[in-house]
Amino acid sequence: MHSPIIPNWVKKHLALNKNYWEISEEVKASVRENLKQFVSDDDVKATVVIPAWNEEESIFSTLSSLSEQKISFKCELLVINNNSTDRTQDVLDDLGVKSITETKQGIGYARQCGLENAKGKYFLCADADCIYPVGWVDKMVKTMDNNQHINAQGVYSDYSFITSGDTPRWVMAIYESIRNIVYYFKIRDKVHLLVRGFSFGIVRRAGLENGAFIMGKQRVGKGIYGTEEFAIGGEDGNMAYTIINNGGKVLPAKGKAARVWTSDRRLIYDGGFKKALKIRFGKYFLKKKI
């Protein structure tokens, strides 16, 4: 079963999820120094890419968790600023994080921009409202690297929600455990439906060959249910589907070393916990366009 509480190591990073300019210089200096482990050499093995749109108050906690990664190979970190109107770029510049601006609005365009500018053989998708365990990068890459003999071209991992509303963490833990059981029996043969962009990796060459991050309708802004921003399908699942359809394998990275803790803001945007469950149930199991 998933943890009924938020672990202390996650809480440590969540405590930094506030006004960046009020965080002590000592803390920022420590994260800044740890982020130097990410390099942009031509021989990096993997590139971690984060699309960002107005993430001034959340991206530091994500970068703090990534700064503590235990990586056994050269790795690059790249943030794609998708027309932020707040001070997201100032945060990135202050921390010395490599960034590129993508003027086409939409998370798929941002991920595609990262894909085209990344240097690593492997391309890891992350998001600016997540907390990553220290072994995440290594586990994701090695899952693909160790399975090249079966044409592994993609990887995804399990996740837990960081609760911010009225739903207790223990309720979320039960939901996550049941969700995984249902997923196994209902859509284990539809792996693309299990993929989430905040913890998804591909062989970069395979992604470049099909351009599947670019879709007919892009999720933009907050992607709130019931608005024009909402899109029933995701660029992440579309990429996974295309890879599988072309003969590649998309595998799970298993264990706590790969499990990501993600904000529940997507559930909130979809109208709260109960409404979000209805949307997901209809999308995955009833095939309704809710």
Side-chain angles (χ1 to χ4, degrees), residues 111 125 127 140 155-157 159 161 175 179 183 187 191-201 235-237 280 283-284:
R111 293 205 198 281
C125 296
D127 273 359
M140 296 286 279
V155 63
Y156 65 96
S157 75
Y159 61 96
F161 285 111
Y175 158 67
R179 171 201 68 196
Y183 280 3
I187 56 177
V191 175
H192 63 284
L193 296 180
L194 301 175
V195 169
R196 296 293 180 273
F198 52 75
S199 187
F200 177 42
E235 78 294 331
D236 41 15
R280 284 153 177 75
K283 175 181 176 183
Y284 296 131

Side-chain angles (χ1 to χ4, degrees), residues 250-263:
V250 177
L251 306 175
K254 299 178 180 180
K256 291 183 179 180
R259 183 184 297 165
V260 174
W261 285 78
T262 183
S263 164

Side-chain angles (χ1 to χ4, degrees), residues 3-4 20 25 76 114 117 133 139 164 170 187 192 200-201 233 243 253 266:
S3 174
Y20 177 78
E25 180 55 36
E76 177 186 28
N117 286 278
K139 187 71 172 181
S164 60
W170 64 267
I187 56 177
H192 63 284
F200 177 42
I243 286 174
R266 180 59 46 201

Side-chain angles (χ1 to χ4, degrees), residues 89-103:
Q89 189 61 52
D90 292 336
V91 173
L92 300 175
D93 292 343
D94 189 57
L95 292 171
V97 175
K98 181 181 178 181
S99 64
I100 297 175
T101 297
E102 172 53 68
T103 57

Side-chain angles (χ1 to χ4, degrees), residues 47 49 76 78 80 98 100 102 104 108-120 123 202 204 207-214:
T47 300
V49 172
E76 177 186 28
L78 177 61
I80 308 301
K98 181 181 178 181
I100 297 175
E102 172 53 68
K104 291 181 181 178
Y109 291 122
R111 293 205 198 281
Q112 184 68 25
C113 175
L115 186 66
E116 293 173 359
N117 286 278
K119 295 181 178 180
F123 176 88
I202 60 176
R204 188 169 67 92
L208 287 170
E209 287 174 354
N210 62 58
F213 281 142
I214 305 301

Side-chain angles (χ1 to χ4, degrees), residues 26-267:
E26 181 181 5
V27 171
K28 288 188 282 192
S30 176
V31 172
R32 191 181 295 119
E33 183 64 28
N34 290 338
L35 285 171
K36 289 181 180 179
Q37 70 171 304
F38 293 99
V39 295
S40 293
D41 298 344
D42 289 337
D43 61 342
V44 294
K45 187 169 187 175
T47 300
V48 178
V49 172
I50 305 173
W53 178 77
N54 291 350
E55 301 288 0
E56 178 185 354
E57 294 193 2
S58 64
I59 197 168
F60 184 59
S61 57
T62 296
L63 292 172
S64 174
S65 69
L66 288 173
S67 77
E68 296 185 355
Q69 291 290 300
K70 305 298 183 183
I71 307 173
S72 58
F73 45 80
K74 283 188 176 181
C75 187
E76 177 186 28
L77 175 63
L78 177 61
V79 176
I80 308 301
N81 186 345
N82 197 201
N83 301 313
S84 295
T85 57
D86 63 0
R87 298 185 67 185
T88 295
Q89 189 61 52
D90 292 336
V91 173
L92 300 175
D93 292 343
D94 189 57
L95 292 171
V97 175
K98 181 181 178 181
S99 64
I100 297 175
T101 297
E102 172 53 68
T103 57
K104 291 181 181 178
Q105 196 68 47
I107 193 168
Y109 291 122
R111 293 205 198 281
Q112 184 68 25
C113 175
L115 186 66
E116 293 173 359
N117 286 278
K119 295 181 178 180
K121 173 183 176 181
Y122 297 106
F123 176 88
L124 298 184
C125 296
D127 273 359
D129 63 342
C130 299
I131 305 298
Y132 294 88
V134 296
W136 179 74
V137 169
D138 252 34
K139 187 71 172 181
M140 296 286 279
V141 169
K142 288 180 179 179
T143 298
M144 290 185 283
D145 210 23
N146 294 339
N147 288 284
Q148 290 299 291
H149 62 288
I150 59 170
N151 200 24
Q153 295 184 11
V155 63
Y156 65 96
S157 75
D158 197 3
Y159 61 96
S160 293
F161 285 111
I162 300 165
T163 52
S164 60
D166 296 331
T167 304
R169 173 57 216 161
W170 64 267
V171 172
M172 285 289 197
I174 294 174
Y175 158 67
E176 290 157 6
S177 298
I178 295 174
R179 171 201 68 196
N180 287 359
I181 294 172
V182 173
Y183 280 3
Y184 178 78
F185 286 105
K186 288 288 186 179
I187 56 177
R188 57 182 172 177
D189 59 338
K190 299 181 178 66
V191 175
H192 63 284
L193 296 180
L194 301 175
V195 169
R196 296 293 180 273
F198 52 75
S199 187
F200 177 42
I202 60 176
V203 175
R204 188 169 67 92
R205 172 187 48 77
L208 287 170
E209 287 174 354
N210 62 58
F213 281 142
I214 305 301
M215 300 176 60
K217 182 177 181 181
Q218 289 283 322
R219 176 164 61 85
V220 299
K222 295 180 179 179
I224 298 175
Y225 172 72
T227 71
E228 286 297 318
E229 297 178 334
F230 181 77
I232 198 74
E235 78 294 331
D236 41 15
N238 192 56
M239 177 63 81
Y241 177 83
T242 304
I243 286 174
I244 294 169
N245 199 44
N246 289 336
K249 302 288 186 183
V250 177
L251 306 175
K254 299 178 180 180
K256 291 183 179 180
R259 183 184 297 165
V260 174
W261 285 78
T262 183
S263 164
D264 65 351
R265 66 183 182 182
R266 180 59 46 201
L267 301 182

